[in-house]
Coordinates of all heavy atoms in Angstrom, one line a residue:
M14 N 129.2 86.2 113.4 CA 128.2 85.2 113.7 C 127.1 85.7 114.7 O 126.0 85.6 114.4 CB 128.9 84.0 114.3 CG 128.0 82.7 114.4 SD 127.3 82.2 112.8 CE 127.6 80.5 112.8
S15 N 127.6 86.3 115.7 CA 126.7 86.8 116.7 C 125.9 87.9 116.2 O 124.7 88.2 116.5 CB 127.4 87.2 118.0 OG 128.2 88.3 117.8
K16 N 126.5 88.6 115.2 CA 125.8 89.8 114.6 C 124.6 89.3 113.8 O 123.5 89.8 113.8 CB 126.8 90.5 113.7 CG 126.2 91.9 113.3 CD 127.2 92.6 112.4 CE 126.5 93.9 111.8 NZ 127.4 94.5 110.8
M17 N 124.9 88.2 113.1 CA 123.8 87.6 112.3 C 122.7 87.1 113.2 O 121.5 87.3 112.9 CB 124.3 86.4 111.5 CG 125.3 86.9 110.4 SD 124.5 88.1 109.2 CE 123.4 87.1 108.4
D18 N 123.1 86.5 114.3 CA 122.0 86.0 115.2 C 121.2 87.2 115.8 O 120.0 87.2 115.9 CB 122.7 85.3 116.4 CG 123.2 83.9 115.9 OD1 122.8 83.5 114.9 OD2 124.0 83.3 116.6
N19 N 122.0 88.3 116.0 CA 121.3 89.5 116.5 C 120.3 90.0 115.5 O 119.1 90.3 115.8 CB 122.3 90.6 116.7 CG 122.6 90.8 118.2 OD1 121.8 90.3 119.0 ND2 123.6 91.6 118.5
L20 N 120.7 90.0 114.3 CA 119.8 90.5 113.2 C 118.6 89.7 113.1 O 117.5 90.2 113.0 CB 120.6 90.5 111.9 CG 121.4 91.7 111.6 CD1 122.2 91.6 110.3 CD2 120.5 93.0 111.5
R21 N 118.8 88.4 113.2 CA 117.7 87.5 113.0 C 116.7 87.6 114.2 O 115.5 87.6 114.1 CB 118.2 86.0 112.9 CG 117.1 85.1 112.3 CD 117.3 83.7 112.6 NE 118.7 83.3 112.2 CZ 119.3 82.2 112.6 NH1 118.7 81.5 113.5 NH2 120.5 81.9 112.2
A22 N 117.3 87.7 115.4 CA 116.5 87.9 116.6 C 115.6 89.2 116.5 O 114.4 89.2 116.8 CB 117.4 88.0 117.8
M23 N 116.3 90.2 116.0 CA 115.5 91.5 115.8 C 114.4 91.3 114.8 O 113.3 91.8 115.1 CB 116.5 92.6 115.3 CG 117.1 93.4 116.5 SD 118.4 94.4 115.9 CE 117.5 95.4 114.7
R24 N 114.7 90.7 113.7 CA 113.7 90.5 112.7 C 112.5 89.7 113.2 O 111.4 90.0 113.0 CB 114.3 89.8 111.5 CG 113.6 90.2 110.2 CD 114.3 89.6 109.0 NE 115.7 89.9 109.0 CZ 116.7 89.1 108.6 NH1 116.4 87.9 108.2 NH2 117.9 89.5 108.5
E25 N 112.9 88.6 114.0 CA 111.8 87.8 114.5 C 111.0 88.5 115.5 O 109.7 88.4 115.6 CB 112.4 86.5 115.1 CG 112.7 85.5 114.0 CD 113.5 84.3 114.5 OE1 113.8 84.3 115.7 OE2 113.9 83.5 113.7
A26 N 111.6 89.3 116.3 CA 110.9 90.1 117.4 C 110.0 91.1 116.7 O 108.8 91.2 117.1 CB 111.9 90.8 118.2
R27 N 110.5 91.7 115.6 CA 109.6 92.7 114.9 C 108.4 92.0 114.3 O 107.3 92.5 114.3 CB 110.4 93.4 113.9 CG 109.9 94.8 113.6 CD 110.8 95.5 112.6 NE 112.2 95.6 113.1 CZ 113.2 95.9 112.3 NH1 113.0 96.2 111.0 NH2 114.4 96.0 112.8
Y28 N 108.7 90.8 113.7 CA 107.6 90.0 113.1 C 106.6 89.6 114.1 O 105.4 89.8 113.9 CB 108.2 88.8 112.4 CG 107.2 87.9 111.7 CD1 106.7 88.3 110.5 CD2 106.8 86.7 112.3 CE1 105.8 87.5 109.9 CE2 105.8 85.9 111.7 CZ 105.3 86.3 110.5 OH 104.4 85.5 109.9
A29 N 107.0 89.1 115.3 CA 106.1 88.7 116.3 C 105.3 89.9 116.8 O 104.1 89.8 117.0 CB 106.9 88.1 117.5
E30 N 106.0 91.1 116.9 CA 105.3 92.3 117.3 C 104.2 92.6 116.3 O 103.1 93.0 116.7 CB 106.3 93.4 117.4 CG 105.7 94.7 118.0 CD 105.3 94.5 119.4 OE1 105.9 93.7 120.2 OE2 104.3 95.1 119.8
A31 N 104.5 92.6 115.0 CA 103.5 92.9 114.0 C 102.3 91.9 114.0 O 101.2 92.3 113.9 CB 104.2 92.8 112.6
Q32 N 102.7 90.7 114.2 CA 101.6 89.7 114.3 C 100.7 90.0 115.5 O 99.5 89.9 115.4 CB 102.2 88.3 114.5 CG 103.0 87.8 113.3 CD 102.1 87.4 112.2 OE1 101.8 88.2 111.3 NE2 101.7 86.1 112.1
K33 N 101.3 90.3 116.6 CA 100.5 90.6 117.8 C 99.6 91.8 117.6 O 98.5 91.8 117.9 CB 101.5 90.9 119.0 CG 101.0 90.4 120.3 CD 101.8 90.9 121.4 CE 103.3 90.4 121.3 NZ 104.2 91.1 122.3
R34 N 100.2 92.8 117.0 CA 99.4 94.0 116.7 C 98.3 93.7 115.8 O 97.2 94.2 116.0 CB 100.3 95.1 116.1 CG 100.0 96.5 116.6 CD 101.0 97.5 116.2 NE 102.4 97.2 116.7 CZ 103.5 97.6 116.1 NH1 103.4 98.3 115.0 NH2 104.6 97.3 116.6
A35 N 98.5 93.0 114.8 CA 97.5 92.7 113.8 C 96.4 91.9 114.4 O 95.2 92.0 114.1 CB 98.1 91.9 112.6
A36 N 96.7 91.0 115.4 CA 95.7 90.2 116.0 C 94.9 91.0 117.0 O 93.7 90.8 117.2 CB 96.4 89.0 116.7
S37 N 95.6 91.9 117.8 CA 94.9 92.6 118.8 C 94.1 93.7 118.3 O 93.1 94.1 118.9 CB 95.9 93.1 119.9 OG 96.8 94.0 119.2
A38 N 94.4 94.3 117.2 CA 93.7 95.4 116.6 C 93.2 95.0 115.2 O 93.7 95.5 114.2 CB 94.5 96.6 116.5
P39 N 92.2 94.2 115.1 CA 91.7 93.7 113.8 C 91.0 94.8 113.0 O 91.1 94.9 111.8 CB 90.8 92.6 114.2 CG 90.3 92.9 115.6 CD 91.4 93.8 116.2
A40 N 90.2 95.6 113.7 CA 89.3 96.6 113.0 C 89.8 98.0 113.2 O 89.5 98.5 114.3 CB 87.9 96.4 113.4
R41 N 90.5 98.5 112.2 CA 90.8 99.9 112.3 C 89.6 100.7 112.0 O 88.9 100.5 111.0 CB 91.9 100.2 111.3 CG 93.3 100.2 111.9 CD 94.3 100.5 110.9 NE 95.5 101.2 111.5 CZ 96.0 102.3 111.0 NH1 95.5 102.8 109.9 NH2 97.1 102.8 111.5
P42 N 89.3 101.7 112.8 CA 88.1 102.6 112.5 C 88.3 103.4 111.2 O 88.9 104.4 111.2 CB 88.0 103.5 113.7 CG 89.4 103.5 114.3 CD 90.0 102.2 114.0
K43 N 87.9 102.8 110.1 CA 88.1 103.5 108.8 C 86.7 104.0 108.2 O 86.0 103.2 107.7 CB 88.8 102.6 107.8 CG 88.1 101.3 107.6 CD 88.7 100.6 106.4 CE 87.9 99.3 106.0 NZ 88.3 98.7 104.8
A44 N 86.5 105.2 108.4 CA 85.3 105.9 107.8 C 84.1 105.0 107.6 O 83.8 104.6 106.5 CB 85.7 106.5 106.5
P45 N 83.4 104.6 108.6 CA 82.3 103.7 108.5 C 81.1 104.5 107.9 O 81.1 105.7 107.8 CB 81.9 103.3 109.9 CG 82.4 104.5 110.7 CD 83.6 105.1 110.0
V46 N 80.1 103.8 107.4 CA 79.0 104.4 106.8 C 78.3 105.2 108.0 O 78.1 104.6 109.1 CB 78.0 103.4 106.2 CG1 76.8 104.1 105.7 CG2 78.7 102.6 105.1
A47 N 77.9 106.4 107.7 CA 77.3 107.2 108.8 C 76.0 106.5 109.3 O 75.2 106.1 108.5 CB 77.0 108.6 108.2
P48 N 75.9 106.4 110.6 CA 74.8 105.8 111.2 C 73.5 106.6 110.9 O 73.6 107.9 110.9 CB 75.1 105.7 112.6 CG 76.1 106.7 112.9 CD 76.9 106.8 111.6
P49 N 72.4 106.0 110.7 CA 71.2 106.8 110.4 C 70.8 107.7 111.6 O 70.0 108.6 111.4 CB 70.1 105.7 110.2 CG 70.7 104.4 110.8 CD 72.2 104.6 110.7
A50 N 71.3 107.4 112.7 CA 70.9 108.2 113.9 C 71.6 109.6 113.9 O 71.4 110.4 114.7 CB 71.3 107.5 115.2
A51 N 72.5 109.8 112.9 CA 73.3 111.0 112.9 C 72.5 112.2 112.4 O 73.0 113.3 112.3 CB 74.5 110.9 112.0
G52 N 71.2 112.1 112.2 CA 70.4 113.2 111.8 C 70.0 113.2 110.3 O 69.1 113.9 109.9
G53 N 70.7 112.3 109.6 CA 70.3 112.2 108.2 C 70.8 113.4 107.3 O 70.4 113.4 106.1
S54 N 71.6 114.3 107.8 CA 72.0 115.4 107.1 C 73.1 115.0 106.1 O 73.3 115.6 105.1 CB 72.5 116.5 108.0 OG 73.6 116.1 108.7
A55 N 73.9 114.0 106.5 CA 75.0 113.6 105.6 C 74.5 113.1 104.3 O 75.2 113.4 103.3 CB 75.8 112.5 106.3
S56 N 73.4 112.4 104.2 CA 73.0 111.8 103.0 C 72.5 112.9 102.0 O 72.7 112.8 100.8 CB 71.8 110.8 103.2 OG 70.8 111.5 103.9
T57 N 72.0 114.0 102.5 CA 71.6 115.1 101.6 C 72.7 116.0 101.3 O 72.7 116.6 100.3 CB 70.4 115.9 102.3 OG1 70.9 116.3 103.6 CG2 69.2 115.0 102.5
A58 N 73.7 116.1 102.2 CA 74.8 117.0 102.0 C 75.8 116.5 101.0 O 76.4 117.2 100.2 CB 75.5 117.4 103.3
A59 N 76.0 115.2 100.9 CA 77.0 114.6 100.1 C 76.9 114.9 98.6 O 77.8 115.3 98.0 CB 77.1 113.1 100.4
P60 N 75.7 114.7 98.0 CA 75.6 114.9 96.6 C 75.8 116.4 96.3 O 76.4 116.8 95.3 CB 74.1 114.5 96.3 CG 73.7 113.7 97.4 CD 74.5 114.1 98.6
A61 N 75.3 117.3 97.1 CA 75.4 118.7 96.9 C 76.9 119.1 96.9 O 77.4 119.9 96.1 CB 74.7 119.5 98.0
A62 N 77.6 118.5 97.9 CA 79.0 118.8 98.0 C 79.8 118.3 96.7 O 80.7 119.0 96.2 CB 79.6 118.2 99.2
R63 N 79.3 117.2 96.2 CA 80.0 116.6 95.1 C 79.7 117.5 93.9 O 80.6 117.8 93.0 CB 79.4 115.2 94.8 CG 80.5 114.3 94.1 CD 79.9 112.9 94.1 NE 79.6 112.3 95.4 CZ 78.8 111.4 95.6 NH1 78.1 110.8 94.6 NH2 78.6 110.9 96.8
A64 N 78.5 118.0 93.8 CA 78.1 118.9 92.6 C 78.9 120.2 92.7 O 79.3 120.7 91.7 CB 76.6 119.1 92.6
A65 N 79.1 120.6 93.9 CA 79.8 121.9 94.1 C 81.3 121.8 93.6 O 81.9 122.7 93.2 CB 79.8 122.3 95.6
R66 N 81.8 120.6 93.7 CA 83.1 120.3 93.3 C 83.2 120.1 91.8 O 84.3 119.9 91.3 CB 83.7 119.1 94.0 CG 84.4 119.5 95.4 CD 84.9 118.3 96.1 NE 83.8 117.5 96.6 CZ 83.9 116.2 96.9 NH1 85.0 115.6 96.7 NH2 82.8 115.5 97.3
G67 N 82.1 120.1 91.1 CA 82.1 120.0 89.7 C 82.1 118.5 89.2 O 82.4 118.3 88.1
E68 N 81.9 117.6 90.1 CA 81.9 116.2 89.8 C 80.6 115.8 89.3 O 79.6 116.0 90.0 CB 82.3 115.3 91.0 CG 83.8 115.5 91.3 CD 84.2 114.7 92.5 OE1 83.7 113.6 92.6 OE2 85.0 115.1 93.3
A69 N 80.5 115.2 88.2 CA 79.2 114.7 87.7 C 78.8 113.5 88.6 O 79.5 112.6 88.9 CB 79.3 114.2 86.2
P70 N 77.5 113.5 88.9 CA 77.0 112.4 89.8 C 76.7 111.2 88.9 O 75.7 110.5 89.1 CB 75.7 113.0 90.4 CG 75.3 114.0 89.3 CD 76.5 114.5 88.6
A71 N 77.6 110.9 88.0 CA 77.4 109.8 87.1 C 77.2 108.5 87.8 O 76.4 107.7 87.5 CB 78.6 109.7 86.1
A72 N 78.0 108.3 88.9 CA 77.9 107.0 89.6 C 76.5 106.7 90.1 O 76.1 105.6 90.2 CB 78.9 107.0 90.7
E73 N 75.8 107.8 90.4 CA 74.5 107.6 91.0 C 73.4 107.3 89.9 O 72.4 106.8 90.2 CB 74.0 108.8 91.8 CG 74.2 108.6 93.2 CD 75.2 109.6 93.8 OE1 75.2 110.8 93.3 OE2 76.0 109.3 94.7
E74 N 73.8 107.6 88.6 CA 72.8 107.4 87.6 C 73.0 106.1 86.8 O 72.3 105.9 85.8 CB 72.8 108.6 86.6 CG 72.3 109.9 87.3 CD 72.5 111.1 86.5 OE1 73.1 111.0 85.4 OE2 72.1 112.2 86.9
L75 N 74.1 105.4 87.2 CA 74.4 104.2 86.5 C 73.7 103.0 87.1 O 73.4 103.0 88.3 CB 75.9 104.0 86.4 CG 76.7 105.0 85.6 CD1 78.1 104.8 85.7 CD2 76.2 105.0 84.2
C76 N 73.6 102.0 86.3 CA 73.0 100.7 86.9 C 73.9 100.2 88.0 O 73.4 99.8 89.0 CB 72.9 99.7 85.7 SG 72.7 98.0 86.3
G77 N 75.2 100.2 87.7 CA 76.1 99.8 88.7 C 76.3 98.4 88.9 O 77.0 97.9 89.8
H78 N 75.6 97.6 88.0 CA 75.8 96.1 88.2 C 77.2 95.7 87.9 O 77.8 96.2 87.0 CB 74.8 95.4 87.2 CG 74.8 93.9 87.3 ND1 75.7 93.2 86.6 CD2 74.1 93.1 88.1 CE1 75.5 91.9 86.9 NE2 74.6 91.8 87.8
R79 N 77.7 94.8 88.7 CA 79.1 94.3 88.5 C 79.1 93.0 87.8 O 78.3 92.1 88.2 CB 79.7 94.1 89.9 CG 80.0 95.4 90.6 CD 81.3 96.0 90.0 NE 81.8 97.1 90.9 CZ 82.8 96.8 91.7 NH1 83.2 95.6 91.9 NH2 83.3 97.8 92.4
N80 N 79.9 92.9 86.8 CA 80.0 91.6 86.2 C 81.1 90.8 86.9 O 81.7 91.2 87.9 CB 80.3 91.7 84.7 CG 81.7 92.1 84.4 OD1 82.5 92.4 85.3 ND2 82.1 92.1 83.2
M81 N 81.4 89.6 86.4 CA 82.3 88.7 87.1 C 83.7 89.3 87.1 O 84.5 88.9 87.9 CB 82.3 87.3 86.5 CG 81.0 86.6 86.8 SD 81.1 84.9 86.5 CE 81.5 84.8 84.8
G82 N 84.0 90.1 86.1 CA 85.3 90.7 86.0 C 85.5 91.9 86.9 O 86.6 92.5 86.8
G83 N 84.5 92.2 87.6 CA 84.6 93.4 88.5 C 84.3 94.7 87.8 O 84.5 95.7 88.3
R84 N 83.9 94.6 86.5 CA 83.6 95.8 85.8 C 82.1 96.3 86.2 O 81.3 95.5 86.6 CB 83.7 95.6 84.3 CG 85.0 95.0 84.0 CD 85.3 95.1 82.5 NE 85.5 96.5 82.2 CZ 86.0 96.9 81.0 NH1 86.3 96.0 80.1 NH2 86.2 98.2 80.7
T85 N 81.9 97.5 85.9 CA 80.6 98.1 86.3 C 79.7 98.4 85.1 O 80.2 98.9 84.1 CB 80.8 99.3 87.2 OG1 81.7 99.1 88.2 CG2 79.4 99.8 87.7
C86 N 78.5 98.0 85.2 CA 77.5 98.3 84.1 C 77.4 99.8 83.9 O 77.3 100.6 84.8 CB 76.2 97.7 84.4 SG 74.9 98.1 83.2
T87 N 77.6 100.2 82.6 CA 77.6 101.7 82.3 C 76.2 102.1 81.8 O 76.1 103.3 81.4 CB 78.7 102.0 81.3 OG1 78.4 101.2 80.1 CG2 80.0 101.7 81.8
R88 N 75.3 101.3 81.7 CA 73.9 101.7 81.3 C 73.3 102.6 82.4 O 73.8 102.6 83.6 CB 73.0 100.5 81.0 CG 73.4 99.8 79.8 CD 72.2 98.8 79.5 NE 72.6 97.8 78.5 CZ 72.6 98.0 77.2 NH1 72.2 99.1 76.7 NH2 73.0 97.0 76.4
E89 N 72.2 103.3 82.1 CA 71.6 104.1 83.1 C 70.9 103.2 84.2 O 70.6 102.1 83.9 CB 70.6 105.0 82.5 CG 69.3 104.4 82.0 CD 69.4 103.7 80.7 OE1 70.6 103.6 80.2 OE2 68.4 103.2 80.2
R90 N 70.7 103.8 85.3 CA 70.1 103.0 86.4 C 68.7 102.6 86.0 O 67.9 103.3 85.4 CB 70.0 104.0 87.6 CG 69.3 103.3 88.8 CD 69.1 104.3 89.9 NE 70.4 104.7 90.5 CZ 70.7 104.2 91.7 NH1 69.9 103.4 92.4 NH2 71.8 104.6 92.3
G91 N 68.4 101.3 86.3 CA 67.1 100.8 85.9 C 66.9 100.6 84.5 O 65.7 100.8 84.0
H92 N 67.9 100.4 83.7 CA 67.8 100.4 82.2 C 66.8 99.3 81.8 O 66.7 98.2 82.5 CB 69.2 100.2 81.6 CG 69.9 99.0 82.1 ND1 69.6 97.7 81.7 CD2 70.9 98.9 83.0 CE1 70.4 96.9 82.4 NE2 71.2 97.6 83.1
A93 N 66.2 99.5 80.6 CA 65.2 98.6 80.1 C 65.9 97.4 79.5 O 65.3 96.3 79.4 CB 64.3 99.3 79.1
A94 N 67.0 97.6 79.0 CA 67.7 96.5 78.3 C 68.0 95.4 79.3 O 68.2 95.6 80.4 CB 69.1 97.0 77.7
K95 N 67.9 94.2 78.7 CA 68.0 93.0 79.6 C 69.5 92.7 80.0 O 69.8 92.1 81.0 CB 67.4 91.8 79.0 CG 65.9 91.8 79.1 CD 65.3 90.5 78.5 CE 63.8 90.5 78.5 NZ 63.2 89.7 77.5
T96 N 70.3 93.2 79.1 CA 71.7 92.9 79.3 C 72.4 94.1 79.9 O 72.0 95.3 79.7 CB 72.4 92.6 78.0 OG1 72.3 93.6 77.1 CG2 71.9 91.3 77.4
H97 N 73.5 93.9 80.6 CA 74.3 95.0 81.2 C 75.4 95.3 80.2 O 75.7 94.4 79.4 CB 74.9 94.6 82.5 CG 73.8 94.3 83.6 ND1 73.1 95.3 84.2 CD2 73.4 93.1 84.1 CE1 72.2 94.7 85.0 NE2 72.4 93.4 85.0
R98 N 75.8 96.4 80.2 CA 76.9 96.8 79.3 C 78.1 97.3 80.1 O 78.0 98.1 81.0 CB 76.4 98.0 78.4 CG 77.4 98.4 77.4 CD 76.9 99.5 76.5 NE 76.6 100.7 77.3 CZ 75.9 101.7 76.8 NH1 75.4 101.7 75.6 NH2 75.6 102.7 77.6
Y99 N 79.2 96.7 79.7 CA 80.5 97.0 80.4 C 81.4 97.5 79.4 O 81.9 96.8 78.5 CB 81.1 95.8 81.1 CG 80.0 95.0 81.9 CD1 79.4 93.9 81.4 CD2 79.6 95.5 83.1 CE1 78.5 93.2 82.1 CE2 78.7 94.8 83.8 CZ 78.1 93.7 83.3 OH 77.2 93.0 84.0
S100 N 81.7 98.8 79.4 CA 82.6 99.4 78.4 C 83.5 100.4 79.0 O 83.3 100.8 80.1 CB 81.9 100.0 77.2 OG 81.0 100.9 77.7
Ligands
ZN228 ZN1 73.0 97.1 84.1

């Protein structure tokens, strides 16, 4: 009986601790967008680095419009067609 009470107390303590931690530290510093004051070198270096890795910069050439289903338009950026295409 007391063992069960112990377990429950531990669980509740841990839960309260997690709640407290979540409330006190809401914003974890997770890779924010580089501030423009950083010299602007990041914006020019990123595509080059991506190309060096052999990744096609396809994402940059797409329209990128999102439909309601969360899909992304696969037409080229600024496409003339009035409709977006999601495939
Ligand atoms: Zn589109």
Side-chain angles (χ1 to χ4, degrees):
M14 193 53 136
S15 70
K16 191 180 175 190
M17 291 305 288
D18 287 344
N19 252 349
L20 276 176
R21 199 197 308 158
M23 267 171 58
R24 209 176 303 144
E25 277 167 9
R27 210 176 299 163
Y28 179 77
E30 186 64 34
Q32 295 286 90
K33 215 189 300 168
R34 215 171 299 155
S37 63
R41 261 179 151 229
K43 56 166 188 177
V46 179
S54 62
S56 56
T57 55
R63 209 174 301 156
R66 272 177 291 159
E68 287 177 39
E73 260 117 36
E74 293 170 358
L75 294 176
C76 164
H78 182 268
R79 289 284 195 93
N80 75 352
M81 290 195 301
R84 308 196 68 169
T85 308
C86 175
T87 56
R88 288 192 196 274
E89 75 278 6
R90 180 187 285 256
H92 54 77
K95 281 182 183 158
T96 57
H97 298 286
R98 184 177 60 191
Y99 314 100
S100 56

